[in-house]
Each structure stands twice: as structure tokens, then as C-alpha cells.
Amino acid sequence: INSYNSNNIGLGSYWSNGGNLDKSILHNNTLHGISMYLSGNLTVSNSIFENNSFGGIAMYSSANNILTNITSRNNALRGIILGGASYNNTINGSSFSENTYSIYLETTTANPKDNKIFNCIINDTNLLYTDNENNTNKLNTSLTSATNIIGGTYIGGNFWTNPAGNGYSDTCSETDYNGICDIPYTADTNNTDLLPLTRNPIDCSNCADCTTTIANARDWDTISLTAPITNDDGTCIDFA
């Protein structure tokens, strides 16, 4: 594991084309964990960006980069900044938490647009902010049968939550039993997740059924009792 820490910027990529950053921790830097400027075709994977004094990841006027399985947390201001003419970047399978803003779309002389962000856990008080209505991005991919980041059975959009656990994905209606909210989620102007993730609803109907269902539950599952239980003495449902 590589560590980049205690600098102004942990790692800088300027006027670069191609390259990989893997299995790295970028932390406790004065500005950003990583800063990209006029860079393209980079892959950043399996890395952690944390405790940086401005942002975890800053990407300005950069295109065609892939960020996958990254964690950006506890950065003072931004989890990730997409600024200026940043376009066609893909961010997936990642998590953002404990930042002031998870995703920050910043206009300079141009607009960050046509970036794709999907299959991520976005868990902050301020989830996504854009300073311009022309910062239009894609917050989901096509609905695909595969295990998603919260253990559900379909990949589509993102899981939108907050530290209180009552964000959109925590509370949305889900009647199709596919782990996708029934209604799209607009994170900010012209940035809408058409397939936001939610917990799969699971039903149980009696003591033994509910005990087994709870024992086999995964993180993010919601279990509902669908029938009254009466005339049952002692321990009915075991939550151990």
C-alpha cells in the first residue's frame, strides 16, 4: 500500500495521459489527496482519500478517467470536486462520507458535464452541489442484474443517505422488489438519478420465518412482518 500524506497535495497529475493509481492512501494533506489537471485516461482504484484539509479528490479540466472502489471520507470540504471542462469521467463502486459535500460540481471557464457516477454510497449532509444549471451529469447506468454496492441484486444508480440514516434511499417507496426506488432522485438541478438504490424489502409472516430471515439478512435489508402474531408465549422472534 502506498501512502501520500502531509503535503500540500498528496499526489498531483498535470497534463498527463494514461496511468494507474492502485491500493493507495492519500491523507492529511493541506489541500487535496489527489489533484488532476488537464489529465486523461487515468485509472484510480482501491484507494482511500481521507482527512485532507480541502478535498479528497480534485479533478479540473480532465476527461476519460475512471475511479473505482475508492473511499473519500472525512475531508474538510469536498469528497470529490469535478471542475471546469471535466467530462466523460466514470466514478463507480465507491463511497463518500463525513465530508461537507460528497460531490461538488464547480464551473470555471467551462462546465463539468457528461460524467457518470453510479453504484456508489453517498452519505453526507450535503450530497451533491452544482453551481450552474449547465453542469449536467449522469447519476446512473443502465439497470443491470449484478450485485450492487449495498448487496442488492441490481446495479443502477447510487445509494443516497445521510448520517441520520433517513436520506432518500433510506425512505423511498419500493414496490417492485428489485432494490430500486420507485421514483427518481434529483440530487441538484439537472443531475437526476433515474435508478436510485434502496434496501430490498423482505417479508416474513411468523415467528420461525422472521427469526430465520433476520439471521440471514444482509446490511441494508429491510424486513417487514406481514401478518399478526397472536397466542405465542415466550420468545417469538429472536434478534440475536
Side-chain angles (χ1 to χ4, degrees):
I1 295 178
N2 304 305
S3 180
Y4 304 88
N5 64 285
S6 304
N7 302 298
N8 281 337
I9 294 171
L11 186 65
S13 174
Y14 306 113
W15 297 280
S16 299
N17 183 46
N20 296 280
L21 176 69
D22 186 42
K23 296 178 181 176
S24 298
I25 300 175
L26 299 93
H27 62 102
N28 296 101
N29 297 289
T30 305
L31 293 175
H32 309 296
I34 188 171
S35 178
M36 303 181 193
Y37 179 70
L38 289 171
S39 295
N41 302 300
L42 304 174
T43 299
V44 180
S45 57
N46 308 309
S47 296
I48 297 171
F49 304 82
E50 63 182 357
N51 299 319
N52 297 290
S53 297
F54 196 92
I57 302 153
M59 190 182 299
Y60 286 96
S61 299
S62 296
N64 304 309
N65 300 291
I66 297 173
L67 282 65
T68 185
N69 192 29
I70 63 167
T71 298
S72 185
R73 65 190 177 205
N74 201 33
N75 299 291
L77 294 177
R78 329 285 198 228
I80 184 169
I81 304 163
L82 295 170
S86 290
Y87 64 91
N88 201 36
N89 298 290
T90 299
I91 303 159
N92 71 89
S94 300
S95 65
F96 301 87
S97 63
E98 300 175 87
N99 310 289
T100 302
Y101 293 90
S102 284
I103 302 165
Y104 196 93
L105 306 175
E106 182 179 346
T107 305
T108 56
T109 56
N111 303 98
K113 59 184 180 180
D114 298 325
N115 300 289
K116 182 182 282 189
I117 303 168
F118 69 96
N119 198 34
C120 295
I121 296 173
I122 302 171
N123 179 11
D124 275 308
T125 302
N126 303 296
L127 304 178
L128 183 150
Y129 172 78
T130 178
D131 64 3
N132 190 296
E133 65 180 10
N134 294 316
N135 298 344
T136 303
N137 297 276
K138 302 173 183 176
L139 302 182
N140 59 272
T141 189
S142 301
L143 190 64
T144 304
S145 179
T147 302
N148 65 39
I149 196 166
I150 60 168
T153 54
Y154 285 93
I155 291 175
N158 303 286
F159 190 86
W160 304 91
T161 185
N162 60 35
N166 59 2
Y168 186 79
S169 289
D170 302 292
T171 59
C172 71
S173 63
E174 204 284 69
T175 57
D176 299 322
Y177 285 76
N178 61 359
I180 304 295
C181 297
D182 293 336
I183 299 172
Y185 172 67
T186 298
D188 207 333
T189 305
N190 293 331
N191 285 272
T192 298
D193 186 342
L194 300 178
L195 299 167
L197 303 179
T198 189
R199 302 177 181 90
N200 287 324
I202 301 172
D203 295 338
C204 64
S205 58
N206 57 59
C207 295
D209 180 26
C210 290
T211 297
T212 301
T213 300
I214 291 168
N216 293 329
R218 302 164 300 182
D219 289 345
W220 310 106
D221 283 343
T222 299
I223 300 168
S224 299
L225 178 64
T226 59
I229 296 175
T230 58
N231 301 319
D232 204 305
D233 295 330
T235 299
C236 173
I237 300 174
D238 189 352
F239 291 91

